[in-house]
Amino acid sequence: MEKKLRVGTIGLGMGSAHVRGFQSHPNAEVVAVADANEERLNQKGKELGVPSLYLDAEEMLKKEKLDVVSVATPNKFHKPLVLAALKAGCHVLCEKPMAMNAKEAKDMLAAAKKAKKRLMINFSYRFAEQSQAMKKQVETGILGEVYFARSVWHRRRGMPGFGGWFGQKALSGGGPLIDLGVHRLDLALWLMNYPKPTWVMASAYDHIASAIAKREKKAFDVEDIAVAMIKFENGASLELEASWAANIKERELMETRLMGTKGGLLQKNLDEGYNFDAEFFLESEGCQFDMKLHPPVPGCKGSYHHFIESISTNKPHIATGEEGLIVMEILDAIYESAATNAPVKIG
Ligand SMILES: NC(=O)c1ccc[n+]([C@@H]2O[C@H](COP(=O)([O-])OP(=O)(O)OC[C@H]3O[C@@H](n4cnc5c(N)ncnc54)[C@H](O)[C@@H]3O)[C@@H](O)[C@H]2O)c1
C-alpha cells in the first residue's frame, strides 16, 4: 500500500475541522497537532485521537517530518507559520484570509514557488457540494456572459469571539470584510472565473460594534460593515457587502447572485442559518424558467479531502495561493478606498 501522507495541523479552533477532514481521507494520517493554548491542545488532541501534541508549532515541524501542514491560527500568524512549514518541506493548506494583506500573501506565494510545494487557501464554501454543482452548471455556459454579481454576508449582531483577536486589527488585519467577506468574494470570483480586478470603490463603518465594545469595555478597532464595488478588466462588476453588526431583519444573511446575458444564479442561506438554496433563472423560446437544485448532490468531500487527493494523485488543486493573493489585493484596495474616500486602482 502507498505510504500515507503525514499531516500536522496548527491551531485547534477551526483546525479541529481540518483534522477531521484529513482523517476522512484514507491516504492521510494526522500524526501531530500544535496549539499555543495548553488546555485546548490537550482537550482537542485527545478528542481527535492525534498521537503527538505540541505547544510550539516550530518544534512540531522540526521533529515530525510532515508531508502536509495546515494553518488555522489568528490571521497574523498565517504568514510566519506558512513560511516555516514550507521551509520544513511541507505542502501547506492555509486558512482564509491568506494573510493580513497582499504584501504578506505575495511573500508566501513566492516562498511556495521557491520550495516547489503546494499552497492552498481554505475557501471552504467552494467545497460545499451545492457550490460544486453550481460551478459545473456555470461552466456549461448556462449564464452566458456574466456582467454583474452581488455577494453579501451580513449579520444582525455576530462579532466572533467579541473582545478577542477577530476585532483587533493588529491580529486580524480587519473586521467582517477579511473574515466573512473573503468567503463570499472568493465564491463569486470563482463562479466568474476569477476575472482580473481593476478598480475598487468602497466604504467601511464601525458605528454599531464600536459602541457596544465601548459599553462592554471590550477591545475592538475594526469595521463592523464594509461595502464595495469592484470592477474587472472584462467589463464585469461585483458588489460585495460584509457585516458583523447591521440593523437588518435576519440574524445571518448570505447571498451570492450572478447576472449573465443568458441566465442568472442565486445561492442564498435558508432560515437565517447555514443551509443554502441554489436557483438558476433562465429564458428560453421567449419564456422565463427557474431551475432549482435539489439535494442530495453527489460529489465533493470538502477542502481537506481535496488537498490530500490532489497531492496523492499529482493533480492540481483548486483554491490556489494565486487566487488567495488576488483576494488580498482586492481587500487591500477596499480598505484603502474606504480610508481615503476615493476609488483605488489595482495593479
Ligand atoms: N474556513 C472557514 O470556514 C473558517 C471558519 C472559522 C475560522 N476560520 C479561520 O481560521 C483561523 C482561526 O480561526 P478560529 O476561529 O479557529 O480562531 P480561534 O481563536 O478559535 O483558534 C485559533 C487557535 O490558534 C492557536 N494559536 C494562536 N497562535 C498560535 C501559534 N503561533 N501556534 C500555535 N497555535 C496558535 C490559539 O491558541 C487558538 O487555539 C482564522 O484565520 C479564521 O479566519 C476559517
Side-chain angles (χ1 to χ4, degrees):
M1 193 186 141
E2 206 181 327
K3 192 175 151 282
K4 286 190 180 189
L5 294 167
R6 290 171 61 80
V7 182
T9 291
I10 306 172
L12 292 175
M14 183 61 189
S16 301
H18 293 203
V19 173
R20 283 189 287 270
F22 289 130
Q23 286 171 336
S24 76
H25 197 292
N27 204 29
E29 189 180 5
V30 183
V31 294
V33 287
D35 196 297
N37 175 328
E38 190 165 11
E39 200 185 323
R40 193 174 226 186
L41 175 69
N42 289 330
Q43 190 218 325
K44 291 285 175 186
K46 193 171 163 200
E47 207 176 288
L48 295 161
V50 179
S52 298
L53 313 182
Y54 292 85
L55 270 171
D56 180 354
E58 300 261 3
E59 191 189 339
M60 175 181 85
L61 293 173
K62 222 176 270 164
K63 290 197 176 153
E64 290 291 338
K65 296 202 172 8
L66 301 167
D67 301 299
V68 177
V69 163
S70 73
V71 175
T73 60
N75 307 341
K76 181 182 166 60
F77 309 112
H78 288 185
K79 177 185 164 183
L81 290 169
V82 166
L83 294 189
L86 289 166
K87 204 166 160 208
C90 307
H91 298 295
V92 184
L93 173 69
C94 177
E95 260 308 336
K96 53 51 65 173
M98 180 169 175
M100 301 281 277
N101 51 51
K103 162 81 180 71
E104 286 193 357
K106 248 182 220 158
D107 293 345
M108 291 155 76
L109 197 54
K113 285 196 173 133
K114 191 168 166 218
K116 296 193 170 55
K117 294 291 167 190
R118 292 172 185 256
L119 176 55
M120 175 170 151
I121 311 304
N122 197 23
F123 291 129
S124 45
Y125 282 78
R126 275 196 208 192
F127 293 87
E129 291 169 340
Q130 188 184 70
S131 304
Q132 294 280 324
M134 277 164 27
K135 174 73 172 166
K136 278 191 192 137
Q137 271 307 309
V138 172
E139 279 177 345
T140 66
I142 195 169
L143 300 182
E145 189 186 327
V146 175
Y147 52 86
F148 177 68
R150 179 171 176 264
S151 212
V152 310
W153 189 336
H154 285 299
R155 287 183 181 160
R156 187 159 180 165
R157 298 288 183 274
M159 290 78 81
F162 196 35
W165 71 265
F166 275 100
Q168 296 177 48
K169 196 167 166 47
L171 293 170
S172 62
L177 177 69
I178 203 167
D179 175 34
L180 308 178
V182 288
H183 279 304
R184 298 325 284 178
L185 175 58
D186 171 70
L187 190 72
L189 290 173
W190 177 57
L191 291 167
M192 294 165 84
N193 252 339
Y194 261 83
K196 189 176 171 341
T198 51
W199 283 94
V200 162
M201 181 73 182
S203 300
Y205 308 94
D206 69 349
H207 297 300
I208 298 171
S210 275
I212 303 173
K214 204 167 170 192
R215 220 165 45 228
E216 297 184 5
K217 297 193 173 28
K218 291 200 159 129
F220 191 86
D221 64 355
V222 295
E223 83 280 3
D224 64 22
I225 184 170
V227 297
M229 172 62 84
I230 305 154
K231 290 182 78 75
F232 300 94
E233 197 174 64
N234 66 2
S237 49
L238 164 65
E239 201 181 294
L240 178 70
E241 301 169 20
S243 69
W244 284 337
N247 288 327
I248 55 169
K249 183 177 173 66
E250 298 86 353
R251 183 166 44 87
E252 193 110 43
L253 172 69
M254 292 174 250
E255 273 191 23
T256 296
R257 190 185 281 279
L258 265 60
M259 295 187 200
T261 49
K262 290 190 192 156
L265 159 65
L266 172 65
Q267 186 198 44
K268 70 183 292 247
N269 68 323
L270 297 168
D271 304 323
E272 304 174 26
Y274 282 69
N275 289 320
F276 290 84
D277 225 10
E279 206 165 355
F280 288 82
F281 311 108
L282 309 164
E283 188 180 323
S284 179
E285 307 297 333
C287 301
Q288 289 154 31
F289 291 90
D290 298 345
M291 181 175 87
K292 193 160 171 174
L293 180 69
H294 276 281
V297 180
C300 189
K301 295 189 174 126
S303 53
Y304 320 102
H305 201 279
H306 170 78
F307 197 44
I308 298 296
E309 188 66 17
S310 305
I311 296 167
S312 303
T313 55
N314 205 21
K315 288 189 181 146
H317 59 269
I318 64 168
T320 59
E322 282 83 354
E323 290 169 340
L325 171 60
I326 293 172
V327 167
M328 293 315 305
E329 285 171 342
I330 293 175
L331 295 197
D332 278 7
I334 292 174
Y335 282 128
E336 188 186 334
S337 173
T340 57
N341 275 318
V344 170
K345 191 163 173 49
I346 300 180

